[in-house]
Amino acid sequence: MLTGIHSRKGLQLVVGLLLGIAFGFLLQKGGVTRYDVIIGQLLFRDFTVLKIMLSAVLTGMLGVHALKSLGLARLHPKPGSIGTSVVGGLIFGVGFGVLGYCPGTVAGAVGQGSMDALLGGVVGILIGAGLFAAVYPKIQSSVLNKGHFGEITLPELFRVHPWAVVLPVVALIVVLLVLIEKAG
Amino acid sequence: MCPQWPPGSRRNARKKENRMEWLTMERWSPYAVGIGIGVLSWIAFVLSDKPLGCSTAFARTSGMIEKMLHGRKVLDKPYYQKFAPEIDWEWMLVVGVIVGAFLSATLSKTFGIEWVPAYWQAAAGESAAIRWIVALVGGVVMGVGARWAGGCTSGHGISGTMQLAVSSWLAAMSFFAGGIATAMLIYRVLL
């Protein structure tokens, strides 16, 4: 673990910027900074989004778990509950279908000159985030804590070795991608 | 034909051009892009001990704007005590995404001011005002949902699912369930 590097704040800001530039470059080259491509996925007309996400998850999962096994990285699973992951996820999904970008690709869309992303998407997400901060204390103990399960991972849930989940998920993703290619 | 010196330099120049051609290509294979994003996430875990994510940066920015308008008492809000309104690694990441997409679009000569996306225009007409209002409403709902779910398509959908986090698998499935239903409603029923 490179803990010495992790604690250097200025350096981390530069690393974040450089990773972001590479991320934005890839998103734009992949076409997912375009409304048409994202809506095409949600309408099952264009499978670019799914192809990118599944190959990113496959690559990332193998690497991150290998790094963890080697002691070079640790995992940061987000905490969750039915109230946050499912209810919040569905609200996000409605926004996703209406806006046609997500918080990462909307930034990329701004970079390629999409004005609906800049004046609509970015401004809207900022307003939405502010609204959530305002209602957060009121829903924190009720909705958000419903069905709380914490920072658990699938291997922890099934009480098995992480690789016993990683390898079947890799196989599943490969099968899905082959099916998508065959259907497409 | 002009003689070239040193011999073979013309061929070398063409080789170099071919090698750089991928930078000017409009689209890359989705698999190359996905693998690239996967490798970026390894680098983020090793160099920064962080998963790639984008939506927290919007919450922090929103807090910074509120702080400018209403002063320091904004910092007392419980949510901003959890996510301080300040520039951090993830905030720089999102700024980087804008820069990276601009570079990519400029290199492939696809950068251009666009008010209404083509697919929307074909179904809903060319009014930039209508598209703007719809995008704004969608953005507000997404802003609420992203913070409600504790992440977005990158934080939960890619970084969280690769870590096999239960919260992220549930959230990612909900993102797409809600998104597919909404897009179908808009394009198959309303428009």
Side-chain angles (χ1 to χ4, degrees):
Chain A
M1 294 277 300
L2 305 169
T3 38
I5 292 181
H6 300 159
S7 54
R8 290 177 60 185
K9 249 191 161 170
L11 177 72
Q12 283 303 321
L13 294 183
V14 176
V15 172
L17 180 71
L18 293 177
L19 282 172
I21 292 174
F23 191 28
F25 198 93
L26 286 169
L27 290 173
Q28 211 278 336
K29 285 279 181 246
V32 288
T33 52
R34 287 159 218 224
Y35 171 88
D36 302 350
V37 172
I38 292 182
I39 282 297
Q41 176 64 70
L42 297 179
L43 296 172
F44 297 111
R45 287 165 177 271
D46 179 337
F47 281 82
T48 305
V49 174
L50 218 51
K51 287 178 193 172
I52 290 178
M53 284 185 76
L54 290 176
S55 43
V57 171
L58 187 144
T59 311
M61 187 165 52
L62 286 171
V64 167
H65 282 87
L67 289 166
K68 193 194 134 203
S69 296
L70 294 170
L72 290 169
R74 53 180 174 191
L75 298 187
H76 297 279
K78 293 184 184 220
S81 67
I82 302 299
T84 55
S85 308
V86 177
V87 179
L90 288 172
I91 297 171
F92 181 97
V94 172
F96 195 24
V98 175
L99 176 58
Y101 305 104
C102 44
T105 57
V106 82
V110 170
Q112 70 184 16
S114 303
M115 299 312 281
D116 60 332
L118 176 64
L119 304 175
V122 170
V123 174
I125 296 173
L126 289 175
I127 295 172
L131 284 176
F132 182 78
V135 298
Y136 175 72
K138 292 190 190 81
I139 59 172
Q140 189 186 6
S141 54
S142 53
V143 190
L144 300 183
N145 270 328
K146 276 261 154 42
H148 184 79
F149 50 75
E151 296 173 0
I152 195 169
T153 63
L154 290 170
E156 286 164 0
L157 182 72
F158 303 141
R159 292 163 201 263
V160 292
H161 195 273
W163 287 95
V165 182
V166 170
L167 296 176
V169 173
V170 165
L172 189 74
I173 291 177
V174 171
V175 168
L176 259 171
L177 288 174
V178 170
L179 285 177
I180 290 172
E181 280 300 330
K182 283 210 164 146
Chain B
M1 245 173 66
C2 309
Q4 290 286 321
W5 192 262
S9 64
R10 180 192 290 270
R11 200 182 54 198
N12 282 346
R14 189 174 310 140
K15 219 169 159 189
K16 196 171 176 194
E17 204 174 279
N18 285 342
R19 218 183 295 142
M20 300 307 280
E21 218 168 54
W22 56 277
L23 282 176
T24 57
M25 278 166 70
E26 196 178 325
R27 290 280 283 269
W28 287 356
S29 150
Y31 302 112
V33 170
I35 291 168
I37 293 172
V39 172
L40 281 186
S41 72
W42 307 348
I43 302 174
F45 269 100
V46 172
L47 289 186
S48 300
D49 192 26
K50 280 186 173 72
L52 296 175
C54 290
S55 70
T56 321
F58 286 87
R60 292 189 200 275
T61 309
S62 190
M64 285 185 240
I65 295 170
E66 260 189 74
K67 200 174 119 189
M68 273 194 298
L69 299 174
H70 301 294
R72 298 191 61 83
K73 67 171 191 284
V74 170
L75 301 178
D76 296 336
K77 283 193 181 178
Y79 198 73
Y80 294 133
Q81 299 209 324
K82 230 173 119 185
F83 298 99
E86 60 189 22
I87 291 171
D88 69 338
W89 180 89
E90 199 173 304
W91 200 89
M92 295 300 284
L93 184 88
V94 175
V95 172
V97 169
I98 301 175
V99 176
F102 174 74
L103 283 176
S104 165
T106 308
L107 282 170
S108 59
K109 299 193 170 65
T110 51
F111 178 85
I113 300 298
E114 180 194 77
W115 292 91
V116 185
Y119 199 77
W120 171 268
Q121 189 172 335
E126 57 191 24
S127 164
I130 292 177
R131 172 57 196 154
W132 172 68
I133 291 168
V134 170
L136 188 72
V137 171
V140 172
V141 176
M142 171 170 279
V144 171
R147 298 330 300 154
W148 195 306
C152 61
T153 337
S154 45
H156 269 313
I158 295 178
S159 302
T161 51
M162 77 169 65
Q163 298 179 68
L164 298 170
V166 173
S167 63
S168 298
W169 280 83
L170 279 175
M173 287 190 282
S174 307
F175 293 165
F176 278 95
I180 290 164
T182 307
M184 294 279 181
L185 178 73
I186 292 174
Y187 278 92
R188 301 273 154 83
V189 182
L190 298 176
L191 291 178

